[in-house]
Amino acid sequence: MLRTTLAGLRAHRLRLLLTSLAIALGVGFIAGTFVLTDTIEAGYTEKFAAAGDRIDVAVFPADEGRGGDERPVLSQETLAEIRRVDGLADAQGLVRGTAVLLGKDGKAAGDFPTSGISIPSGELNRTVITSGAAPADGRQAVLDDNTAERYGFAVGDTVAVLDSEEVRHEFTLVGLFDAGLDQELAFAGAVGFTTETAMEMTGEKGFREIDALAAEGVSQEGLRDAVATALGEGFTVKTGEAYAAEMAEANGADNQMIMMGLLLFGVVAMFVAALVIYNTFNILVAQRTREMALLRCIGATRRQVFGSVLLESAVVGLFSSVLGLLFGYGLGAAALAVLRSLDAPLPSAAVSLAPRTIALGLVIGVVVTVGAALLPARSATRVAPIAALRTQVEEHTFRAGVIRTVFAALFLLAGAGVTAMGLVMDAGEAALFTVMAGGALVFLAVLILGPVLVRPLSAFVGWLPGRLFGVPGRLATDNAHRNPKRSATTTVALTVGVTLMTLIAVVTGTLQATYSAKLDEQFPVDYMVQPQDWNAHLPRALAQDLRSRPELTSVLALRGTRAEVGGKGAEFEVGTFTASAGFRPELTSGSIDLLKPGTAILAEHAARDLGVGAGDRIPVETKEAGTVELTVVALFDAADVSLSAVTVPERDFDRYFGALGDSQIMVNARDGVALERARAAVDAAAQPYPTAKVASSTDIRGEFDEALDMMLMIITGLLGLAVLISLLGIANTLSLSVHERTRESALLRALGLTRPQLRRMLSVEALILGLIGALVGVVLGVVYAWAAAHALTEDVYFEVPVLQVLAFMALSGLAGVLAAVLPARRAARASIVGSLASG
């Protein structure tokens, strides 16, 4: 039996290759994921280990004991104390804060403030200078590579930077450096100075970290213990090796999240591949009925026949896994190359297949293939020896049994119940996962009911092709539901991919519509001006200038600060506003006219937290006036009104907190003024203020839409692998069906069907199978996208991107037709006489 099985595999190499491709793609995706993440992780470890080699001890302020938003720092006295430790060769403090880089247009570069960092001198400098040199004095600075490239700066240029008081300073750019794996620096950009200059520019009162170098003959552990003893409590002291390991592990945690996300798509791909393998072996067993019966006649036992099929599946699984590992290696290397070409902050490391990846790939491929072949192998043992005497294979008819019906009903009811439970829960992650669990149960019900659904769906989908393509179209429709079990398994593989792609597309479209509607509610102005750093303020002169512009109207300036309210330690934003005449926000109770000296209006959430209502008095701790008692005169919904949680009259605010600048300015264009002209007026008013950033609802909506579209494109591309595997399944099914129906096709040719008509029949059959899978996938995807959107958030504006969904269906049908090209060609070329004789 072993020799017979291996001989059969050698005789059908093309069948072996087609069967292997589905598993190879699934294993390749999983292997590629591990190659990608393992390479990144190895690069992190290598890079941080290299950084750790440059320092022997790192000192940090302890996290405990410091509240509020202020980040704890290490003082100059702490640095001096460390420098007095025996066994120390050198110690340097690292400064990090905000130092706003100005672009060549005089405006702050980027949407977020650039970081100001110190570049230590000597051996403790971990900053990699890629061009030029490190700053040597207070008149020199360096930029990270990405920021320099983005804003057109080169070594030798003069750069302008704002200090913590927003005073402009100019420096000579003497070098560029690599931000490396520091995500904060890579995201916002950074300017590097000498340590003293960095402290002056950022306004920091101390160091973020102090690095120490041991004297010759002193171990890292010895210096760590000496430093820890000298400093006492309130500090965290680590060896360079431990610090490097922690940094690598922290970055590896993000890597693990990426790996888990990608592996989810790999699991989907393997599930689809398992369906394809199951269907393939079902057809192979049906085709080889006479062969197996003949083996039984000459003495093969049921166990030997069962083992023969499993052996074939194991060989296919092993062959597929090896192909998949090679494909995965290439896929991982290609993904890294693409990411690096996009300047992603990734470490450099050699791409390699880890032993774990090889073992997992082989095990997953073989186990999934053999597992998918178990039921077909079991069916093979039921072939009676007498079947060898039949002239043709008996075609089994399908009947929906009681067990199938009962199980389908149970899964369907359970899925509907779990989905309903998720919809009545409070919106959030728990509700979303509950809905998704319900969707999985409903999908299992559809999987069980697939053969039952194929007949009506093939009739529905095939009605138009039957009319358009005449006899070949009608024959194709009949063929599609002749073996409903096989057709259902073939289409379910495609259904998985189309369901997930439709779900993602509809959820994305719904989020875009919901966000746009809410943005219109919460951004009821044409333009918004705010500082680059949300914690900073804008000069009040800017709002005054905007009010003087004839193109603009309704200028609302908001200002605020955090303060203790209610006397129990709770902090809220206390603020005020300067508005144009006629400003009347929509309050839920009371009136804006009641806002007089000594009063306040509260956001409803603040009133609930403080347990107060209209007419109650609340204490507010102020900077200038001490504790003041305010009377609550009105309430508002913070989702509808853009005011501070505790809003007081303008003069009272200045008396309580001093003359703070504006935190946000809202501007409307005057009626009849073109938006381009109004935008130019706002930009002109903001130009003298480098950190003033102008935005419109169109800008914000565009950024959000762009991010969602990018996410949709990536996810659709990843799910495209599952669709590709399912299309291989359609091609495989048709190819094997052509072989199974050789005599039938020859008889049709003998009765007058031409070669083009035979090709058309098989192409239309593939089209119908593709459309059935797509139709079921679209229905499931839309339904569960609606459920997922309502589970995620309230007040959903549900929207189905109809053109996108129709495109999915059209592409599925077209891909099905393309999958049928080679099988149809093969069938049309077969000899009529030879095919009839071979039956």
Side-chain angles (χ1 to χ4, degrees), residues 295-662:
L295 288 171
R296 293 289 311 282
C297 282
I298 61 176
T301 64
R302 289 177 183 269
R303 180 176 295 179
Q304 286 178 312
V305 171
F306 182 79
S308 172
V309 177
L310 286 191
L311 175 62
E312 183 171 342
S313 68
V315 172
V316 169
L318 185 61
F319 178 71
S320 306
S321 302
V322 173
L323 280 181
L325 288 171
L326 294 174
F327 172 64
Y329 180 84
L331 191 65
L336 279 168
V338 170
L339 289 172
R340 284 170 182 155
S341 70
L342 298 174
D343 294 327
L346 295 176
S348 57
V351 181
S352 61
L353 272 174
R356 176 198 61 178
T357 305
I358 296 173
L360 276 175
L362 293 175
V363 169
I364 289 172
V366 173
V367 168
V368 169
T369 308
V370 173
L374 280 174
L375 287 178
R378 187 166 167 265
S379 299
T381 62
R382 297 175 180 173
V383 177
I386 193 69
L389 303 177
R390 295 177 185 148
T391 57
Q392 63 181 20
V393 177
E394 180 182 353
E395 188 166 324
H396 298 284
T397 57
F398 171 79
R399 292 181 183 177
V402 175
I403 294 178
R404 180 183 293 272
T405 305
V406 169
F407 269 95
L410 288 175
F411 276 115
L412 191 61
L413 290 173
V418 172
T419 303
M421 184 172 69
L423 290 173
V424 299
M425 293 169 64
D426 292 335
E429 285 187 7
L432 178 64
F433 287 132
T434 304
V435 165
M436 291 297 100
L441 291 172
V442 169
F443 186 82
L444 287 175
V446 172
L447 187 63
I448 296 169
L449 283 174
V452 180
L453 298 174
V454 161
R455 287 183 181 275
L457 287 177
S458 61
F460 171 72
V461 172
W463 180 83
L464 185 59
R467 297 294 184 277
L468 291 177
F469 298 105
V471 173
R474 291 195 292 275
L475 286 172
T477 304
D478 291 340
N479 286 336
H481 63 67
R482 176 193 291 180
N483 192 329
K485 195 172 180 182
R486 178 194 302 169
S487 297
T489 311
T490 304
T491 57
V492 159
L494 183 60
T495 298
V496 173
V498 175
T499 297
L500 293 173
M501 286 200 297
T502 303
L503 187 145
I504 296 299
V506 176
V507 167
T508 302
T510 298
L511 286 177
Q512 285 176 328
T514 303
Y515 180 81
S516 294
K518 291 187 176 181
L519 184 63
D520 290 338
E521 294 173 3
Q522 297 179 15
F523 200 128
V525 293
D526 295 323
Y527 305 102
M528 186 179 291
V529 186
Q530 55 191 25
Q532 184 190 47
D533 185 349
W534 291 353
N535 295 318
H537 296 92
L538 296 171
R540 297 190 186 185
L542 173 55
Q544 294 171 1
D545 188 0
L546 289 167
R547 292 189 186 96
S548 69
R549 304 267 172 171
E551 301 91 347
L552 309 174
T553 184
S554 180
V555 177
L556 173 65
L558 304 172
R559 63 191 72 95
T561 187
R562 301 286 295 181
E564 184 181 323
V565 181
K568 296 181 180 179
E571 283 195 354
F572 294 90
E573 184 179 67
V574 180
T576 189
F577 60 88
T578 304
S580 304
F583 173 67
R584 301 193 64 79
E586 186 178 336
L587 307 182
T588 53
S589 68
S591 167
I592 195 68
D593 297 330
L594 298 175
L595 189 62
K596 307 289 184 183
T599 66
I601 60 175
L602 264 63
E604 289 181 333
H605 70 85
R608 281 194 303 271
D609 292 346
L610 295 169
V612 298
D616 293 334
R617 293 179 65 79
I618 54 170
V620 177
E621 187 69 33
T622 72
K623 182 179 179 182
E624 303 290 340
T627 301
V628 297
E629 291 276 337
L630 303 178
T631 302
V632 180
V633 294
L635 302 176
F636 64 90
D637 185 349
D640 300 326
V641 179
S642 299
L643 294 177
S644 297
V646 180
T647 299
V648 299
E650 188 175 358
R651 290 184 179 178
D652 280 6
F653 182 83
D654 291 346
R655 185 162 55 87
Y656 298 155
F657 301 102
L660 297 180
D662 297 326

